[in-house]
Amino acid sequence: MWRLIRTNTNLLSTQHSITKPVPVSLRPVDYCTSQTQDTVRKITTILNHNNWQFLLDSSDLPTKLNPDVIRSVIRENRVGDPSRVLSFFLWSEHKVGTFQNLDILSLLVVSLCKSKFFGPANDILERMIRTCKSPFDILGAVDVYRECDGSKSNAVLFDMLIGCYRKMGFLDKAVNVFMGLKDVEFVPRMLSCNSLLRELLKMNQMEMFWKVCDRMSEMKISFDVYTYVIVINAHFKAGNVNEAKRVFLEMGGKGCSPNLVTYNVIIHGLCRVGRLDEAIEMKKSMVEKGLVPDCYTYVTLVNGFCMENRLREAKLVLMEMSDMGLRPDVIGYKSLIDGFVTQGDAEEALRIKDEMVTHGIRIDVVLYNTLLDGLCKAGKMEKAREVMNEMIRTGIGPNSRTYSLLIEGYCGERDMTSAFELLDESKKRNLAPTKVAYCVIINGLCQYGNLQQAKTVLEEMISRGLKPNAIIYKTLISANTRESRFEEARRILERMKECEIIPDVFCYNSLIIGLCKAKKMEEARTYLVEMLDTGLEPNAYIYGAFIHGYSKSGEMQMAGRYFSEMLGCGVAPNDVIYTVLIDGHCRKGNITEAFSVFRCMLARGFLPDVQTYCVLINSLLRNGKMKKALVVFSELSEKGLVPDVFTYTSLMTGFCKQGDVQKAFQLHEEMFQKGINPNIVTYNVLIGGLCKVGDVKKANDLFSGILDRGLTPNGVTYATIINGYCKSRNVNKAFQLFDEMPLGGVPPDSFVYNALLSGCCKEGKLEKAQELFLDMLHKGFATTLSFNTLIDGLCKSKKLQEASNLLEVMLEKQVMPDYVTYTTLIDRHCKAQNMEEARQLFLDMQARDIAPTTITYKSLLRGYNLIGKKSEVFSLFEEMVAKRIEPDKITYYELIDAHCDEGNLMEALRLRDELLKKGMPMNIGAYDALVKALCKNEECSEALTLLDEMGERGLRLSFATCRTIACGFQRVGNMEKAAKVLERMLWYEWVSNSVNLTDLLDHNEHGWKSEESNKLLNQVA
């Protein structure tokens, strides 16, 4: 009936039966000795006198007192004066000591109750409860005396026993007595039932609550309105709203009309669970039945609306309350103020405060603090200070919380000066700053990087006897870690331990994350081990820090190990960790591993976001896998995700690098269709793509329309378009844009200057280039690239001395030359056959720890080859190989040529085989040198084989070299082979059909064909 779910659990672990032993005082008279009977008669006679106490004290009767005597005296005199009986009992205890005898106490309490001496009876019952552990023994003893006394109508005794147990906090025993009343044939009064139910509900003893309700039903005790109120309240407390409403409706059917309290309880219950509309309907029903809502009704509704953030409706209820002539109390207003403060509407909260003042309701410090909390959180510090001044004017002194709130507000507004002023003011008012105030100030100082002052405030806090908590230490550790002050962070952690404050996982989080960001992975690992030793379990942030740190360092094997450890410990990675791992693998070019992590992410139910897809797309593009990037891009769209501007721009970059500007512009149009606005980076990519394919005009049109799209060109935009014009040899237009940059608020940077410098050098405008270069030097824009560009320009213009001088200027300006600088100068000196200067530059670059490259060696090899110093050529090549610098094909050509000149035919052929084995082609010069060397060595057949090889590869041997082969055959009398040379020349269409063998041998390409040569040709054919 009373619960949604009934349980059959017994209230007590064992059932107690109530035994009714016959008391000694009620047994036959012959049980007592004649001496005892005589003593009882004498005491009874004396008790009839007013000076009984004096008479007893004057006799020898006190020496004859014992429990049997006292019990019999009380029994004999219980009908008379109950106060005289109680006084005798107390006098007896004074003579023989305190009684613990249950029979005597039961007899006395029954006698007192019969005479309506309820106060003393209650005291005796409390004594019985303290001396007897079992409520069933007390209940049985009392019931026996009650029955023997013939006073079964005296029901109050059992109500008192239940009440005593209840008031003394023994609710379980009170319930035991209540449940045992069936055995003593007694029905408790309704007041007793309601009091017990109310106390059980208050102490949340719901199982016993429902047992009492059930027993009341079994005893056919009709519930009154207060019982129903308690039961309805119990259902609301258990969350059984529908059952509470059912009981409410049942009241009418049981002939018990709900009163104001009943309605208030059900309205309160409905408001507490957010069913405000039903609560309002209940209030209407209440009015219809002639009940008038009171202050509690309205305040309950106000609180309910405030809890649901329906503040306007709460305000209307408060207005209705006033219209009904009820004066809203501070609780109703406080709920409204709390609500508006929570909602962030501090202004409305202030208006309500003013309304309270108008109604003469005194505002206490708690309410003022609520207002200050809202104002401070809203950053309205001036208004907060005004409210505090108002407090002081009205005689309400600010407390420690008031100052803490204002200090926190000023810290949030970065006004640490005002925060410290308030701290000092609180001290002057003898309000010791709280731990909260110090915590807020330390946090504020840490946020703004003032760590030294934060440390000072911490010391002051400790000196005032306040013990910093884990939050303060964590704040300090986190702040020092952010500033890379790891030693100080470690000291704070150690101090924390010394103060017996156990660091929690968040303290370790801050330190480990900071160390990982600083790539101090081993130190971070030390704290992870320490953390594990203390029994703390790493969370996703700690594992994420290690994975992020190792991924950024390129140590993907270690990152993968922590990822596996994380999964093994049952810590679920988040999408950020997956994205970091994918990005790390992508940066290392491990596309397979990146996709493996991606598939793992999908398998674990994580949906990749746009950023994850963007990482994959960018990686594929960096590795030249445009097709796969487009597949991933399509998958992104298929999953309903909208690519962001960065994803589109990355793909455009890929297309532009491939020279496919048309597809890049198709993506540009698609962006607009999907409502994604391109940013300046997007346009920089498109302009760069157009410039790369030489469409500078369209690039300029795009550049001109940037402002119309609400974007502002930046340095990269100007550098890209200027570079485009310079590469298309339109330096004048480039300089026009250069002059426009300051007008557009974009100062030219080193990229722009370098682009212009390169353009001037390519067009041979060296004077303009040098003028620009001096400007760059003055502005500090001259970089190694700038010097290299101008040096190259001067070298190409054969101004080698000026170029060399520029290297000296470069060193004076402490701009470090690189291998390009030295190689450019070395190459030009080699071409000019200034090998001494080239050699010196070669030695200087190595002295500066600048490693020569293949190009450097190639230039030197060519130079020494030109002047005939073959030994230098061979020596440099050996040095090059020893340094593991891979020769390129040009290097091999120079070596083959040098060895052929020196007659080292076998070495030349070996180098030729090595060249072909590496997949590098021979050029005409190398073939020519080999053929000549073979012919000189009278190995004309080998030379003819090379001629065929050249022809098959589409190369053409010179007429003179072919003649050398033919003449070689002629010298040894092998005219057939000489004719074969001409045949091959005709076959590969190197000469016209008019050329005959005589022309070839006489070096006369336009000679006539002799009869002999024709005969030989026919024979060969």
Side-chain angles (χ1 to χ4, degrees):
M1 169 181 179
W2 303 113
R3 289 158 290 171
L4 290 173
I5 301 173
R6 296 284 299 273
T7 63
N8 293 322
T9 307
N10 290 327
L11 180 66
L12 305 170
S13 57
T14 59
Q15 292 294 327
H16 295 272
S17 60
I18 301 174
T19 58
K20 300 181 181 179
V22 179
V24 175
S25 60
L26 299 180
R27 294 174 192 169
V29 178
D30 58 2
Y31 176 83
C32 298
T33 64
S34 57
Q35 184 181 356
T36 300
Q37 291 178 19
D38 183 58
T39 303
V40 170
R41 280 194 297 271
K42 289 179 180 180
I43 293 173
T44 301
T45 302
I46 292 173
L47 284 174
N48 290 324
H49 296 81
N50 289 332
N51 60 341
W52 63 270
Q53 190 170 341
F54 173 76
L55 295 172
L56 284 173
D57 286 335
S58 302
S59 69
D60 61 347
L61 291 173
T63 61
K64 298 178 181 180
L65 290 174
N66 59 46
D68 289 337
V69 170
I70 295 168
R71 183 187 306 109
S72 297
V73 170
I74 294 172
R75 172 72 178 166
E76 292 297 324
N77 292 278
R78 68 187 185 281
V79 180
D81 184 357
S83 63
R84 183 71 52 89
V85 173
L86 179 61
S87 297
F88 168 74
F89 172 76
L90 296 175
W91 174 83
S92 299
E93 281 197 317
H94 179 69
K95 296 298 179 182
V96 299
T98 303
F99 291 112
Q100 306 294 336
N101 191 291
L102 191 59
D103 283 342
I104 296 174
L105 296 174
S106 298
L107 177 60
L108 181 61
V109 79
V110 169
S111 301
L112 290 170
C113 282
K114 183 179 179 182
S115 302
K116 302 190 186 308
F117 271 51
F118 299 121
N122 194 78
D123 294 339
I124 299 299
L125 279 174
E126 288 182 5
R127 181 192 290 192
M128 292 169 73
I129 290 169
R130 282 193 290 269
T131 58
C132 184
K133 292 183 178 179
S134 172
F136 296 102
D137 291 343
I138 296 174
L139 185 60
V142 169
D143 187 44
V144 167
Y145 280 110
R146 186 177 67 90
E147 288 179 359
C148 295
D149 201 44
S151 304
K152 288 205 172 190
S153 60
N154 192 5
V156 71
L157 174 58
F158 296 105
D159 287 326
M160 286 174 62
L161 182 58
I162 293 169
C164 283
Y165 273 118
R166 176 177 56 79
K167 291 173 185 175
M168 293 173 74
F170 303 128
L171 286 177
D172 54 342
K173 293 181 179 180
V175 173
N176 285 343
V177 173
F178 186 88
M179 303 298 282
L181 291 179
K182 184 178 181 181
D183 296 328
V184 299
E185 300 178 4
F186 163 68
V187 177
R189 291 185 304 163
M190 186 56 69
L191 178 61
S192 180
C193 295
N194 288 345
S195 297
L196 181 58
L197 286 172
R198 186 167 51 251
E199 196 67 26
L200 288 168
L201 180 62
K202 179 181 175 183
M203 302 306 293
N204 204 30
Q205 298 291 333
M206 301 310 296
E207 186 178 354
M208 289 193 284
F209 178 92
W210 295 118
K211 281 190 174 292
V212 171
C213 285
D214 289 344
R215 179 53 60 89
M216 287 174 69
S217 299
E218 290 170 10
M219 291 180 174
K220 303 193 183 314
I221 301 173
S222 298
F223 287 17
D224 66 5
V225 67
Y226 298 106
T227 317
Y228 277 112
V229 165
I230 295 167
V231 171
I232 289 168
N233 221 340
H235 280 301
F236 275 121
K237 191 170 185 178
N240 302 328
V241 179
N242 293 332
E243 191 68 9
K245 289 172 67 180
R246 188 192 65 74
V247 173
F248 175 77
L249 294 173
E250 183 186 284
M251 289 179 68
K254 297 280 186 177
C256 184
S257 299
N259 61 9
L260 177 61
V261 175
T262 316
Y263 275 102
N264 281 347
V265 165
I266 201 158
I267 288 169
H268 179 267
L270 290 168
C271 288
R272 195 165 59 187
V273 295
R275 292 165 74 160
L276 291 165
D277 295 331
E278 292 180 50
I280 290 292
E281 288 302 315
M282 197 61 71
K283 189 202 110 183
K284 289 179 182 176
S285 170
M286 171 185 180
V287 173
E288 288 168 2
K289 292 185 178 179
L291 296 171
V292 180
D294 62 1
C295 284
Y296 183 86
T297 316
Y298 284 107
V299 170
T300 299
L301 288 167
V302 169
N303 285 337
F305 280 117
C306 288
M307 281 192 295
E308 293 296 311
N309 285 324
R310 293 166 65 174
L311 302 179
R312 302 298 164 190
E313 290 166 276
K315 201 171 178 184
L316 290 173
V317 172
L318 207 61
M319 289 171 63
E320 182 186 322
M321 182 179 179
S322 297
D323 294 341
M324 294 291 293
L326 296 171
R327 181 180 175 183
D329 60 6
V330 69
I331 297 172
Y333 278 113
K334 185 179 184 305
S335 297
L336 260 181
I337 289 172
D338 276 340
F340 281 112
V341 165
T342 304
Q343 207 175 66
D345 193 348
E347 291 299 327
E348 185 61 29
L350 284 171
R351 280 192 286 274
I352 294 168
K353 184 265 300 180
D354 293 338
E355 186 179 317
M356 287 178 71
V357 174
T358 303
H359 284 88
I361 300 172
R362 182 175 172 80
I363 303 172
D364 59 11
V365 68
V366 175
L367 200 53
Y368 269 117
N369 284 346
T370 301
L371 283 166
L372 288 171
D373 187 28
L375 291 166
C376 291
K377 282 178 180 174
K380 298 179 179 181
M381 297 313 298
E382 287 186 16
K383 193 69 180 175
R385 200 60 187 258
E386 288 176 17
V387 170
M388 184 179 177
N389 292 336
E390 179 185 309
M391 285 177 70
I392 296 168
R393 283 197 309 272
T394 55
I396 299 171
N399 58 17
S400 295
R401 174 162 169 73
T402 312
Y403 282 102
S404 294
L405 289 168
L406 283 162
I407 288 169
E408 185 173 5
Y410 279 117
C411 288
E413 294 297 306
R414 300 193 174 196
D415 187 354
M416 298 308 296
T417 303
S418 296
F420 275 103
E421 286 174 358
L422 280 166
L423 187 69
D424 292 337
E425 186 179 318
S426 70
K427 294 174 190 174
K428 290 175 183 175
R429 287 181 173 272
N430 292 321
L431 291 171
T434 63
K435 188 182 292 186
V436 174
Y438 279 114
C439 184
V440 165
I441 287 179
I442 289 170
N443 184 59
L445 292 168
C446 286
Q447 279 186 348
Y448 311 128
N450 196 342
L451 302 183
Q452 189 55 47
Q453 195 170 3
K455 188 177 178 181
T456 304
V457 173
L458 177 68
E459 297 300 332
E460 180 187 319
M461 178 183 178
I462 294 169
S463 69
R464 286 182 169 271
L466 294 173
K467 186 178 180 180
N469 56 21
I471 296 172
I472 292 175
Y473 281 113
K474 185 184 83 67
T475 301
L476 287 164
I477 290 169
S478 181
N480 280 281
T481 303
R482 279 198 306 270
E483 298 292 324
S484 298
R485 297 175 60 174
F486 299 113
E487 284 301 322
E488 182 63 24
R490 277 191 280 266
R491 279 195 289 271
I492 294 167
L493 186 67
E494 291 306 315
R495 183 172 184 178
M496 186 178 182
K497 295 175 193 172
E498 290 168 6
C499 294
E500 297 181 352
I501 299 173
I502 300 171
D504 58 12
V505 70
F506 301 105
C507 293
Y508 284 105
N509 267 6
S510 300
L511 193 51
I512 289 172
I513 290 169
L515 288 166
C516 287
K517 282 183 179 178
K519 298 182 180 179
K520 296 178 181 288
M521 307 307 294
E522 286 305 314
E523 292 180 58
R525 177 71 187 178
T526 303
Y527 283 101
L528 177 62
V529 172
E530 180 183 308
M531 179 182 171
L532 291 168
D533 289 342
T534 59
L536 293 172
E537 294 182 1
N539 55 22
Y541 295 102
I542 288 180
Y543 280 114
F546 279 101
I547 291 167
H548 188 272
Y550 281 117
S551 295
K552 291 298 178 186
S553 301
E555 297 181 56
M556 295 312 298
Q557 189 174 356
M558 288 298 294
R561 188 180 299 174
Y562 276 93
F563 181 70
S564 299
E565 184 180 319
M566 180 181 189
L567 295 177
C569 292
V571 180
N574 53 32
D575 53 349
V576 176
I577 291 173
Y578 280 111
T579 303
V580 166
L581 264 179
I582 291 168
D583 184 51
H585 283 302
C586 288
R587 289 179 184 277
K588 292 287 287 184
N590 304 330
I591 304 299
T592 304
E593 288 84 352
F595 272 94
S596 176
V597 175
F598 182 72
R599 285 191 292 272
C600 176
M601 182 180 186
L602 293 173
R604 289 182 170 270
F606 283 93
L607 293 176
D609 58 8
V610 173
Q611 185 182 357
T612 310
Y613 278 106
C614 190
V615 165
L616 279 171
I617 291 167
N618 279 329
S619 171
L620 292 166
L621 292 171
R622 278 199 305 269
N623 288 275
K625 300 182 184 295
M626 189 70 188
K627 288 184 180 179
K628 284 190 176 181
L630 289 171
V631 170
V632 175
F633 180 75
S634 299
E635 184 180 323
L636 182 153
S637 301
E638 287 168 6
K639 289 188 180 293
L641 295 171
V642 180
D644 59 12
V645 64
F646 303 105
T647 311
Y648 273 109
T649 303
S650 297
L651 279 171
M652 289 180 195
T653 304
F655 281 123
C656 288
K657 282 182 179 178
Q658 289 184 346
D660 197 344
V661 182
Q662 184 178 354
K663 286 187 179 177
F665 272 94
Q666 286 174 2
L667 286 174
H668 179 250
E669 291 302 318
E670 187 180 307
M671 286 178 73
F672 282 113
Q673 290 170 9
K674 292 187 176 181
I676 302 166
N677 294 321
N679 58 21
I680 192 62
V681 179
T682 312
Y683 285 105
N684 290 347
V685 168
L686 291 171
I687 290 168
L690 290 167
C691 289
K692 184 178 180 179
V693 297
D695 196 347
V696 183
K697 182 181 180 304
K698 190 172 180 180
N700 187 63
D701 292 341
L702 195 63
F703 172 82
S704 302
I706 286 176
L707 289 173
D708 296 335
R709 297 184 184 277
L711 298 171
T712 305
N714 58 20
V716 177
T717 320
Y718 277 103
T720 305
I721 190 71
I722 286 170
N723 189 46
Y725 275 116
C726 288
K727 285 183 177 178
S728 65
R729 296 188 176 276
N730 192 347
V731 177
N732 292 334
K733 179 63 177 175
F735 271 100
Q736 285 179 16
L737 288 170
F738 174 73
D739 294 336
E740 287 176 13
M741 288 182 73
L743 301 175
V746 183
D749 57 14
S750 60
F751 296 104
V752 175
Y753 273 101
N754 280 325
L756 287 167
L757 187 66
S758 177
C760 290
C761 289
K762 283 178 181 177
E763 287 194 25
K765 297 181 178 181
L766 288 180
E767 288 186 10
K768 184 68 176 174
Q770 287 173 315
E771 180 185 329
L772 193 68
F773 183 76
L774 289 173
D775 191 20
M776 291 174 75
L777 282 174
H778 177 70
K779 292 180 177 178
F781 287 157
T783 61
T784 301
L785 174 64
S786 314
F787 278 97
N788 289 349
T789 302
L790 189 53
I791 286 171
D792 184 60
L794 290 168
C795 286
K796 286 177 178 174
S797 298
K798 298 182 179 179
K799 296 185 177 184
L800 193 52
Q801 187 56 51
E802 290 183 47
S804 298
N805 293 341
L806 200 57
L807 174 61
E808 293 178 12
V809 173
M810 191 176 187
L811 295 171
E812 287 173 9
K813 298 288 184 183
Q814 296 185 340
V815 178
M816 285 301 296
D818 59 9
Y819 77 94
V820 177
T821 318
Y822 279 102
T823 301
T824 303
L825 286 167
I826 287 169
D827 183 66
R828 185 52 58 181
H829 278 295
C830 288
K831 286 176 180 175
Q833 298 184 12
N834 301 330
M835 295 312 297
E836 285 301 320
E837 289 82 350
R839 184 72 181 182
Q840 189 57 51
L841 285 166
F842 180 67
L843 295 173
D844 286 349
M845 75 182 290
Q846 293 179 86
R848 294 182 181 277
D849 289 328
I850 301 172
T853 64
T854 302
I855 300 170
T856 316
Y857 278 102
K858 182 173 62 179
S859 298
L860 285 166
L861 289 170
R862 184 184 296 117
Y864 280 117
N865 210 8
L866 282 172
I867 64 174
K869 288 192 175 183
K870 309 300 181 182
S871 60
E872 290 290 340
V873 173
F874 303 146
S875 176
L876 277 171
F877 183 72
E878 288 175 6
E879 180 185 315
M880 182 181 181
V881 172
K883 289 182 177 179
R884 297 185 178 180
I885 298 173
E886 189 66 29
D888 64 359
K889 59 184 181 180
I890 306 297
T891 309
Y892 278 106
Y893 300 158
E894 293 295 338
L895 260 292
I896 291 169
D897 184 65
H899 280 295
C900 287
D901 283 352
E902 289 294 297
N904 301 330
L905 188 55
M906 294 301 293
E907 183 61 21
L909 288 170
R910 188 192 68 75
L911 288 168
R912 175 245 187 193
D913 292 342
E914 187 178 308
L915 177 73
L916 294 174
K917 189 176 180 181
K918 290 182 177 181
M920 300 179 192
M922 289 275 287
N923 72 349
I924 295 173
Y927 275 117
D928 195 69
L930 276 172
V931 168
K932 287 178 180 177
L934 286 166
C935 291
K936 187 177 180 180
N937 208 35
E938 296 185 355
E939 296 182 34
C940 297
S941 295
E942 291 293 331
L944 184 59
T945 303
L946 286 178
L947 183 146
D948 277 331
E949 188 179 300
M950 288 183 69
E952 292 298 325
R953 292 187 55 236
L955 298 176
R956 180 170 180 169
L957 197 61
S958 69
F959 187 87
T961 306
C962 291
R963 178 178 176 278
T964 300
I965 300 171
C967 288
F969 284 121
Q970 183 188 36
R971 278 195 301 273
V972 296
N974 194 342
M975 294 303 294
E976 184 177 345
K977 286 286 183 76
K980 199 163 184 79
V981 173
L982 180 60
E983 179 192 357
R984 289 289 178 261
M985 292 173 70
L986 291 168
W987 175 260
Y988 295 124
E989 298 181 351
W990 292 352
V991 293
S992 66
N993 291 329
S994 63
V995 176
N996 58 31
L997 187 58
T998 303
D999 293 332
L1000 178 62
L1001 295 173
D1002 292 343
H1003 204 171
N1004 181 10
E1005 192 175 346
H1006 304 287
W1008 52 276
K1009 295 180 182 180
S1010 66
E1011 185 177 340
E1012 185 179 358
S1013 63
N1014 287 334
K1015 183 179 178 181
L1016 284 169
L1017 283 170
N1018 289 331
Q1019 288 174 353
V1020 171

